Amino acid sequence: MHQDHVSLATGQRSLGDPAIAYPLRPPLTRGCPRTSTGRIAYPVEVDYAYDRVPAGLFDQPPGPDIARWAPLLPPLSAPTLGEGGTPLLEACGVLVKDESRNPTWSHKDRLNRVTVSAALAEGAPGVVVASSGNHGASAAAYAARAGLPAIVLASAGSPPAVQSFVRAYGAAVFSVPAERRWPLMTEIVDRLGYHPVSNQTVTHTGHPYGPEGYKTIAYELFVQLGRAPAAVFAPTGYAELLYGVWKGFTELRRLGVAGTAPRMFSCEPAAGGPHARAVASGAPAAIVEVGPTDAYGIACPAGGHRGVRAVTDSGGGTVLVTDEELRAAQRDLGREGLWQELSGAAGLAGYRKLGAVFDGPVVCVGTSSGFKDVGVGSADIAVATTFDEVAANLPAGS
């Protein structure tokens, strides 16, 4: 690897207390042990030798393979599948960062390039993930590419098409009740030594290296726009994406590359919304009950401190969106050629619901292909053998 593409990661730092630092390895996948309690778990994040970042790193165009940003990522030992370099498109009156163009059709590929690299570095015999959708498919794909077995703990209600997608990569897929997925994953980690790429704590910490992969979205947006956007609206489940993008922009500002950073907006299902609850109450994180929603990809009962930090530190906010608002955003994106999963349309739905005016470009992150939605492939299509039957079934306005 070229010397400019060697990781400058130096260690891990607690989000509960930035004065507390740890070595870079092993990744603290159960959060900061010194600040976490039985009610709140604080994540750690990766720190870097920022004074050694090579000049001109952000002069290069974005493209597939996030290794182009390697100095500001943990060491990348897992092979690429061509993640990153996704387009920024004008649609529905905003700019949409279309993460469905990644190798497994979601933003999770950026995270899993980094976390599977960590599994290889730790000599783990495999990876384990608790996921019913994008994360499971992506982890399975990157593990397969790296020659590692993967265990995916899914829910019985996950779409059959997504289950088939995960199995295509050779993963061992198990249907597990939601309340048992995290405890069972922890047992697999402790007894088999598999590397966890999902959460194991009471509130969300997840993998400490994961959000580092999402920073590359911020780098790409800066290069694509020639500046930082005024605001970013992101679909939010556990907020790793939201925080990663925010951290990327703070690094650009710290390095003197960008003069500003965007306001970050968490867009969650109205049926739950742990980050909205935490921000509203001033809590570091929150746990909520989740009601019925088809946005299963971001319907999370446990929030994490990362999302709270991204929103409050950036001067942004939280937006709760209903399934009806999500469907309207999804439908309108589809009419402009972008098929997003219902969860993936939350950024646009949140922007519309907030109704704010910003002094600069607004980016809505579209996280995943609509292929992964509940019920995909089950709808009937009109049958036609004559022109009159075709004419009778044309969409309104055709």
Side-chain angles (χ1 to χ4, degrees):
M1 185 177 288
H2 190 277
Q3 63 177 357
D4 285 353
H5 292 149
V6 173
S7 172
L8 297 177
T10 57
Q12 300 173 87
R13 191 172 301 279
S14 173
L15 285 188
D17 181 349
I20 299 175
Y22 302 93
L24 182 63
R25 296 177 53 194
L28 297 179
T29 59
R30 295 178 184 175
C32 174
R34 292 172 59 185
T35 59
S36 298
T37 69
R39 299 183 64 183
I40 171 71
Y42 286 99
V44 296
E45 65 174 354
V46 180
D47 204 0
Y48 298 86
Y50 290 106
D51 59 336
R52 294 173 51 204
V53 173
L57 180 63
F58 299 100
D59 294 338
Q60 60 182 317
D65 188 353
I66 61 172
R68 68 187 60 243
W69 315 112
L72 290 171
L73 294 174
L76 297 175
S77 48
T80 186
L81 283 169
E83 68 292 326
T86 57
L88 182 65
L89 304 170
E90 291 188 25
C92 301
V94 296
L95 295 169
V96 177
K97 183 65 166 166
D98 187 7
E99 288 293 288
S100 74
R101 310 296 185 91
N102 280 300
T104 72
W105 314 333
S106 92
H107 63 305
K108 291 291 184 180
D109 292 341
R110 298 179 189 261
L111 176 149
N112 281 300
R113 173 76 187 286
V114 176
T115 56
V116 172
S117 291
L120 288 173
E122 296 304 307
V127 300
V128 57
V129 56
S131 168
S132 294
N134 295 318
H135 192 20
S138 178
Y142 277 82
R145 182 72 170 168
L148 292 175
I151 296 174
V152 179
L153 307 179
S155 69
S158 62
V162 176
Q163 294 180 25
S164 298
F165 191 27
V166 177
R167 289 191 180 94
Y169 300 117
V173 184
F174 299 94
S175 178
V176 181
E179 69 276 7
R180 282 288 302 149
R181 281 194 291 170
W182 286 0
L184 181 56
M185 188 185 70
T186 297
E187 190 172 1
I188 291 168
V189 171
D190 292 341
R191 298 180 65 173
L192 298 181
Y194 272 45
H195 197 73
V197 291
S198 291
N199 189 57
Q200 300 175 83
T201 54
V202 59
T203 55
H204 191 273
T205 60
H207 199 291
Y209 294 4
E212 304 301 309
Y214 291 140
K215 294 190 313 187
T216 60
I217 294 176
Y219 304 159
E220 290 176 17
L221 287 174
F222 178 79
V223 173
Q224 288 167 323
L225 290 169
R227 56 161 291 179
V232 174
F233 289 75
T236 301
Y238 295 125
E240 292 170 303
L241 169 65
L242 189 78
Y243 184 77
V245 175
W246 168 241
K247 183 178 178 182
F249 279 114
T250 64
E251 289 178 333
L252 289 167
R253 190 167 56 181
R254 174 176 182 165
L255 292 167
V257 176
T260 62
R263 296 169 63 188
M264 302 296 300
F265 290 86
S266 160
C267 304
E268 300 174 277
H275 296 92
R277 171 80 61 83
V279 170
S281 64
I287 298 174
V288 301
E289 290 188 14
V290 178
T293 174
D294 286 337
Y296 73 95
I298 53 174
C300 302
H305 188 54
R306 290 192 186 99
V308 174
R309 288 288 298 273
V311 167
T312 56
D313 290 357
S314 71
T318 63
V319 189
L320 296 176
V321 289
T322 66
D323 278 20
E324 290 72 25
E325 291 163 337
L326 288 166
R327 289 191 183 96
Q330 182 188 45
R331 181 178 61 249
D332 291 347
L333 286 168
R335 288 172 176 168
E336 297 205 30
L338 301 176
W339 189 29
Q340 284 289 321
E341 178 185 359
L342 193 65
S343 298
L348 177 60
Y351 168 69
R352 287 175 162 179
K353 186 162 189 175
L354 188 67
V357 177
F358 297 92
D359 184 20
V362 173
V363 173
C364 296
V365 182
T367 48
S368 172
S369 167
F371 158 78
K372 300 174 183 181
D373 261 337
V374 175
V376 167
S378 62
D380 294 330
I381 62 172
V383 177
T385 58
T386 68
F387 175 81
D388 287 343
E389 290 170 333
V390 171
N393 288 283
L394 288 177
S398 298

